[in-house]
Amino acid sequence: MYFITSVSEKHGFRCVGYVSKLEEAIDIVENNYADLNEAGYYPYVVIENVEEGIYQYDQNPLWFKYNEELDKYEKSKRPSFIPNNHVGFGIG
């Protein structure tokens, strides 16, 4: 499953949903469906592919940053406030 989590340095992170297809997850994020940005609260979103089982993590998630001018998220690098070894945003 592909878990979609909105992320903010100030407000923390919140898993907003999950889907079975990567293409659908990317479409949801890039087009800011249901206002994932929440009026500026969540400038980043991460998509994690998590397999069934225990202690499952995506070591290479997809990161997106909100572009206010376009009202869309665009692919980006992991934000600098997130440590490189931090994983499991969507399911903990």
Side-chain angles (χ1 to χ4, degrees):
M1 298 302 287
Y2 293 92
F3 289 80
I4 302 166
T5 304
S6 46
V7 179
S8 168
E9 183 173 19
K10 190 176 191 180
H11 304 285
F13 51 91
R14 175 177 173 222
C15 182
V16 296
Y18 56 93
V19 295
S20 61
K21 296 181 181 173
L22 176 59
E23 296 80 15
E24 184 178 1
I26 290 172
D27 185 52
I28 288 168
V29 171
E30 287 183 338
N31 292 295
N32 192 28
Y33 286 3
D35 191 23
L36 298 173
N37 183 273
E38 293 191 29
Y41 270 66
Y42 296 103
Y44 293 93
V45 169
V46 61
I47 297 175
E48 297 170 289
N49 180 18
V50 181
E51 299 295 325
E52 181 179 344
I54 61 171
Y55 295 113
Q56 298 293 317
Y57 299 107
D58 184 347
Q59 297 295 332
N60 297 298
L62 297 175
W63 285 94
F64 297 81
K65 184 175 182 181
Y66 186 69
N67 181 324
E68 289 183 31
E69 291 178 15
L70 299 176
D71 187 32
K72 292 179 77 161
Y73 281 92
E74 299 177 316
K75 286 187 179 177
S76 72
K77 294 182 179 183
R78 175 188 293 261
S80 60
F81 63 89
I82 302 291
N84 284 333
N85 61 350
H86 189 109
V87 296
F89 296 93
I91 62 169

